[in-house]
Amino acid sequence: MEWTVDILGPDFQSCGLNATGPDGVVRHATLIRHRAAPEEPTAVDAPTGPKRYGAVLFLHGWSDYFFNTELARFWAGQGYDFYALDMHNHGRSLQSDNPGGYVADLADYDAEINQAVEAIRDDRSSAPPGCLALMGHSTGGLVAALWASRHPGKIQYLILDSPWLEMHGSSLVRRAAHAMVTPLAKLRPETVLRLPERGFYFRTISSTAEGEWALDEKYRPPLAFPVRAGWLNAVFAGHSQVARGLELDIPVLVLTSSASANGMVWQESMRSSDAVLDVSVIALRAMALGRTVTLERIDGGLHDVFLSAPAVRKDAYARLARWIRGFMHSSLPGDRQEGDT
């Protein structure tokens, strides 16, 4: 592992991973880690002292990359070593000869996630073992849930931020769309589909528009990458797996906005709601993930609740911190509070 200073600054390092899938294809991904400066303040409600509880690995959404330094510092303040993975054909892992954002099967991400997990264990070899949590946003949340179902025992906790678990409307909509796109996906998987382009969500988060986050438009284009038949078919297949039930036996936290604002024209409500997914459908489908699922609905939340307005994401972080204390910390020997049973 050769770590170099990352684009996010000296508190972040990154290294490249080349992972070979079961199909024999070598795919390039990038692992990012956060190493806090000694003087860095801890988060509100963070455990005091140098104790480390484990690590968390974050998976970004489609047509996205890791850039949320605030999220990394939150986890560090809670006592966890933070890592993120820019998956192949995304962000730092983009290669000029490959279509941005493309994957023909969501299981193609498994090899690089597996390698990232092993790299984290090696990187933390001198630290107490602790637990490993997997966190995913949007399509990354779908990828994370499916990976966890295929690799039982590899992680102990799953945190999903507005995971794309189902299409808008209902499973009937998804089945109909899946039936239409499957033949094209088999014959010409990289065909670009002519779908309406919307930049409303980007407008609410990018500092070049009306948001507060500095985004590299090479890694996170305003209108996202072109939608290709094979990629959409892979997402539909993932939705079908979730609908059948994943039977995860680990605690799962799902965070979403409390409202959606979908449409082909700009609405002011998009500044304080999910302008990408149908949160009611996502909340319902989340119950199919496993036996222990906590759902948190964030008033005023954007599609990525941790990119929302400061007061809103403060609420989201407080709810996440409460879940961490209730599930992740209380399950560790010696970390139960007096009076716990």
Side-chain angles (χ1 to χ4, degrees):
M1 302 293 294
E2 295 185 7
W3 296 95
T4 59
V5 175
D6 187 63
I7 58 175
L8 296 177
D11 291 348
F12 293 83
Q13 300 85 42
S14 57
C15 66
L17 303 176
N18 289 314
T20 304
D23 54 3
V25 176
V26 178
R27 298 179 175 90
H28 177 72
T30 307
L31 185 64
I32 304 101
R33 72 179 181 186
H34 170 56
R35 287 293 182 267
E39 67 276 9
E40 186 172 284
T42 57
V44 176
D45 296 330
T48 58
K51 187 166 187 177
R52 311 306 292 169
Y53 292 103
V56 60
L57 173 62
F58 175 82
L59 305 182
H60 57 79
W62 179 67
S63 194
D64 209 345
Y65 71 110
F66 174 70
F67 60 87
N68 192 341
T69 58
E70 185 179 85
L71 179 66
R73 291 177 177 127
F74 165 83
W75 278 105
Q78 295 296 315
Y80 293 84
D81 294 329
F82 181 86
Y83 297 82
L85 185 67
D86 273 15
M87 295 178 284
H88 74 268
N89 291 345
H90 286 85
R92 299 161 179 81
S93 307
L94 281 170
Q95 297 179 317
S96 59
D97 55 341
N98 291 328
Y102 183 73
V103 68
D105 186 333
L106 297 184
D108 287 348
Y109 291 123
D110 282 19
E112 60 210 71
I113 297 173
N114 292 341
Q115 191 163 333
V117 168
E118 292 304 315
I120 290 170
R121 288 185 176 136
D122 290 343
D123 192 48
R124 300 187 69 254
S125 59
S126 60
C131 64
L132 178 61
L134 184 61
M135 182 175 187
H137 165 60
S138 195
T139 310
L142 174 62
V143 170
L146 294 173
W147 180 89
S149 72
R150 289 191 290 265
H151 299 82
K154 291 286 188 179
I155 59 170
Q156 289 72 55
Y157 304 96
L158 181 64
I159 301 102
L160 305 178
D161 171 11
S162 301
W164 191 15
L165 303 178
E166 184 58 276
M167 282 291 290
H168 295 280
S170 70
S171 59
L172 295 177
V173 175
R174 184 241 309 153
R175 290 171 187 167
H178 197 180
M180 289 189 290
V181 78
T182 296
L184 182 59
K186 289 181 178 178
L187 293 174
R188 292 182 292 164
E190 294 190 19
T191 298
V192 174
L193 302 178
R194 294 183 178 275
L195 300 177
E197 295 181 331
R198 304 189 313 157
F200 302 146
Y201 176 54
F202 186 89
R203 174 176 172 176
T204 64
I205 63 173
S206 174
S207 59
T208 62
E210 299 171 22
E212 65 174 283
W213 301 92
L215 306 179
D216 188 325
E217 295 187 11
K218 176 179 64 176
Y219 297 158
R220 210 299 177 192
L223 297 178
F225 294 124
V227 174
R228 299 177 187 273
W231 172 82
L232 190 57
N233 194 59
V235 171
F236 287 153
H239 289 167
S240 298
Q241 291 175 7
V242 173
R244 291 193 293 270
L246 297 187
E247 300 182 352
L248 298 175
D249 61 356
I250 57 176
V252 181
L253 172 64
V254 177
L255 304 107
T256 73
S257 176
S258 61
S260 293
N262 296 306
M264 297 313 301
V265 296
W266 170 258
Q267 306 167 42
E268 283 300 308
S269 60
M270 290 175 173
R271 301 184 192 276
S272 57
S273 57
D274 191 325
V276 179
L277 300 180
D278 184 336
V279 296
S280 296
V281 172
I282 300 305
L284 179 63
R285 189 60 77 214
M287 297 301 106
L289 294 174
R291 295 187 299 166
T292 308
V293 180
T294 303
L295 176 65
E296 291 281 4
R297 304 288 291 268
I298 310 299
D299 288 340
L302 296 178
H303 175 51
D304 184 338
V305 299
F306 297 107
L307 300 183
S308 304
V312 176
R313 66 178 186 267
K314 181 179 179 181
D315 177 45
Y317 278 121
R319 292 170 184 272
L320 175 54
R322 180 176 63 185
W323 189 86
I324 291 170
R325 290 194 300 270
F327 282 94
M328 298 176 69
H329 289 172
S330 65
S331 65
L332 297 172
D335 284 305
R336 293 189 179 273
Q337 301 297 314
E338 184 176 350
D340 289 350
T341 57

